[in-house]
């Protein structure tokens, strides 16, 4: 079955950086479009970034464009999200997910808190 395990979250000050990782197993990762989605306290799940199977195409939500970078290593079955210039509004649980079924096929999440 699909297994996605996120890591790398934590507490960071505004303007800081974090890199999230996601270890995938139980499916053909190299043939799967992948994404990072997030859920802020009291808000709905929202997508942040999507990456094509070979990394040739990526998309970002306007709220993270220019600050976040999604990447993948198909040899290691791992998805990454580099986050820079973090803002308090980036505080959320971040999930690694298969696209487009990101609600049904995602990991347990990793908490990112941006606060002074």
């Amino acid at each position: 079955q699909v297994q996605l395990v996120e890591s790398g979250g934590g507490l960071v000050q505004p303007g800081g950086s974090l890199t999230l990782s996601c270890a995938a197993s139980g499916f053909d990762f190299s043939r799967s479009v992948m994404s990072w989605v997030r859920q802020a306290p009291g808000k709905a799940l929202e997508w942040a970034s999507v990456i094509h199977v070979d990394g040739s195409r990526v998309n970002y939500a306007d709220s993270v464009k220019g600050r976040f970078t999604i990447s993948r290593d198909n040899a290691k079955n791992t998805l990454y999200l580099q986050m820079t210039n973090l803002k308090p509004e980036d505080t959320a649980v971040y999930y690694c997910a298969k696209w487009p079924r990101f609600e049904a096929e995602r990991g347990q999440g990793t908490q990112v808190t941006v606060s002074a």
Side-chain angles (χ1 to χ4, degrees), residues 14-60:
S17 301
L18 279 176
T19 297
L20 307 182
S21 300
C22 171
S25 61
F27 65 102
D28 193 343
F29 179 79
S30 65
R31 295 189 178 198
S32 300
V33 179
M34 297 297 298
S35 66
W36 285 98
V37 298
R38 65 184 185 180
Q39 188 165 29
K43 295 189 176 181
L45 199 62
E46 65 169 359
W47 75 278
S49 185
V50 180
I51 185 167
H52 192 58
V53 295
D54 60 0
S56 61
R57 282 180 284 161
V58 297
N59 291 94
Y60 298 98

Side-chain angles (χ1 to χ4, degrees), residues 50-98:
V50 180
I51 185 167
H52 192 58
V53 295
D54 60 0
S56 61
R57 282 180 284 161
V58 297
N59 291 94
Y60 298 98
D62 287 344
S63 57
V64 308
K65 197 173 295 183
R67 301 187 298 120
F68 290 11
T69 302
I70 191 171
S71 62
R72 64 191 297 161
D73 185 335
N74 287 344
K76 296 181 178 179
N77 283 1
T78 303
L79 181 71
Y80 303 98
L81 185 69
Q82 293 177 285
M83 306 184 292
T84 63
N85 191 21
L86 283 160
K87 304 176 181 180
E89 52 263 43
D90 293 318
T91 294
V93 178
Y94 284 71
Y95 300 92
C96 166
K98 293 183 71 179

